[in-house]
Amino acid sequence: MKKENNQELMEKIVSLCKRRGFVFPGSEIYGGLANSFDYGPLGVELKNNIKNLWWKRFVHKRDDLIGIDAALIMNPKVWQASGHLETFSDPLAECKKCHHRFRADKIDGKKCPDCGGELTASKQFNLMLKTFLGPVEDAENTVYFRPETAQAMFVDFKNVLDTTRKKIPFGIAQIGKAFRNEITPGNFIFRTREFEQMEIEYFIKEEEWGEVFEMWQEEMWFWMTDVLGLNKKNIHELNVPEKELAHYSKKTIDFEYEFPFGKDELYGLAYRTDFDLKNHYKEPPYEDAETGEKFYPNVIEPTFGVDRSVLAVLCDAYTEEKDRVVLKLKPSLAPYKVAIFPLLKNKPELVAKAREVYNMLRKEFNVAFDDRGNIGKRYYSQDEIGTPFCCTIDFDTLENDTVTLRDRDTTKQERIKILEISTCIKKQL
Ligand code: GAP
């Protein structure tokens, strides 16, 4: 099926996600909660694989990045200083007839897209999600769930510096939840009010910003195409026009992905200048070890939405062939790396041998075990969830310790030794 602006394709992906345990509607037995979703047993594996690969690539493999994991709720002064309380808002317009609410900047024309009614003039609606800490619900106890993970990297900057003795250029990375009271959430896990981000704040000297911006642009391309395996054709760069830049940014590139519902933002790369550190620190927080000069470093911020990564990966991998649906996930992302099948369920010696192989491989990988129905059906079931290999234990296995290993994409089978299975899988990771 061609991947065009295609509601039917999106419905198939959403349905597969629910049927196979990738993503469920949140609180479903209570009628759901608008646009909230839960990751099921396979979804959490896919999501964790993405997060782990990101952490490995950007934190563990680089000398110039370190990680933190900060609290979701921060002192409200953080949001005062960052400008979020004042400016983190979208224009909201309401239909005078059906009272549906819309983001005024996302609709064409002046009429209600749902009923054609007249719209009110738009007013700014702050996206910060409020709650109270402690038993008294008053202004003094009002706090906010963070709308981005970024601010903790600025607020903790001095502590990180003091404990790691890093010198610029270096970056702080974090993966975690963020919350926004979006006016119009939608398109499955694309826009929700609770979501996860993987963010890097990379601290530099002002004059380096152009060069470092390009370095991160390349890194982000590598991540999208080589690590996530997204098709280059489906990704486009948008140089965000000056009048649409976020309040902190001097230059932003959005990486847009061609989702089935249309092209929209996947990730962003922003030059945040020294805006944030200047807002949070009265004194320059950084001192050049050689010159003794104190100054406010500038910041380049590559930001990656976790849920949008999951969605892009699923859309890119979803493939319909003549008689099967295959999720052509990169093996490193697949929830299971291999599925083990005893040829027949009613032959205890085959089942015992299959369990032995299963237990051996589980020491290294997440492995599926399936002994139901015929082998063909078991293959299709694994193809649909993206398992790169299926391994069948048959009567020859009992004789000579060999198995058939079937490749998800080619459907070709080869006969290999049990002890070679692990190497075959690792070659693909
Ligand atoms: N710290 C910068 C920042 O937060 P952003 O463009 O507002 O920038 C960064 O958000 C990324 O977070 C987006 O590119 C997107 O992947 C993800 N994101 C933002 N809002 C989201 C939402 N409501 N639902 C899911 N993901 C979202």
Side-chain angles (χ1 to χ4, degrees), residues 96-346:
K96 290 182 180 169
K97 206 163 136 202
C98 70
H99 299 289
H100 287 175
R101 291 170 166 200
F102 305 94
R103 257 181 75 171
D105 57 335
K106 293 273 176 190
I107 47 176
D108 300 323
K110 295 201 162 68
K111 295 276 178 239
C112 170
D114 290 349
C115 75
E118 199 188 333
L119 294 174
T120 60
S122 71
K123 56 175 189 222
Q124 288 301 318
F125 173 78
N126 193 287
L127 303 182
M128 302 283 286
L129 203 68
K130 245 189 240 180
T131 188
F132 303 95
L133 274 193
V136 186
E137 296 191 2
D138 62 9
E140 228 169 79
N141 293 311
T142 301
V143 289
Y144 304 88
F145 288 98
R146 64 183 180 195
E148 59 173 10
T149 64
Q151 291 305 317
M153 270 88 94
F154 304 126
V155 171
D156 285 347
F157 177 78
K158 197 81 176 63
N159 276 335
V160 170
L161 210 56
D162 291 347
T163 49
T164 62
R165 310 247 160 250
K166 284 276 173 205
K167 292 193 175 64
I168 60 170
F170 81 93
I172 308 180
Q174 183 173 202
I175 300 179
K177 291 252 174 170
F179 299 80
R180 294 182 190 177
N181 207 358
E182 298 278 2
I183 298 168
T184 44
N187 285 327
F188 194 37
I189 52 173
F190 178 80
R191 191 183 308 284
T192 50
R193 294 189 172 115
E194 171 181 346
F195 56 96
E196 234 174 324
Q197 293 182 317
M198 309 185 280
E199 295 200 292
I200 293 167
E201 307 304 323
Y202 197 79
F203 302 96
I204 53 167
K205 287 190 179 144
E206 186 180 358
E207 60 269 25
E208 294 166 341
W209 84 264
E211 199 184 315
V212 175
F213 194 95
E214 273 175 31
M215 180 269 282
W216 280 108
Q217 200 174 348
E218 276 169 35
E219 279 291 327
M220 292 180 86
W221 271 108
F222 186 87
W223 165 261
M224 292 184 285
T225 54
D226 290 60
V227 184
L228 293 189
L230 299 180
N231 189 333
K232 221 174 169 167
K233 277 201 339 257
N234 294 331
I235 307 166
H236 308 275
E237 283 189 5
L238 170 78
N239 217 329
V240 178
E242 215 177 309
K243 60 179 188 339
E244 288 171 29
L245 288 173
H247 62 276
Y248 49 74
S249 170
K250 211 162 179 176
K251 178 182 169 73
T252 297
I253 285 180
D254 281 349
F255 293 92
E256 298 190 315
Y257 180 81
E258 285 185 35
F259 291 101
F261 47 81
K263 194 168 68 170
D264 216 327
E265 179 185 334
L266 173 63
Y267 301 145
L269 173 62
Y271 171 37
R272 291 183 82 126
T273 67
D274 56 5
F275 177 86
D276 303 276
L277 289 180
K278 269 203 170 137
N279 285 332
H280 290 304
Y281 292 88
K282 285 194 190 74
E283 300 280 316
Y286 189 81
E287 184 176 332
D288 189 298
E290 275 145 40
T291 63
E293 184 201 353
K294 289 191 172 172
F295 63 97
Y296 291 91
N298 276 233
V299 172
I300 301 291
E301 179 194 64
T303 175
F304 309 68
V306 176
D307 312 82
R308 288 187 194 178
S309 306
V310 172
L311 185 57
V313 158
L314 286 170
C315 293
D316 225 80
Y318 183 90
T319 313
E320 285 182 356
E321 292 180 356
K322 208 168 101 236
D323 51 6
R324 62 174 191 157
V325 168
V326 201
L327 271 191
K328 293 194 170 171
L329 296 171
K330 289 262 295 185
S332 50
L333 299 180
Y336 296 118
K337 306 303 176 213
V338 60
I340 307 297
F341 305 156
L343 181 65
L344 298 167
K345 190 183 181 170
N346 57 3

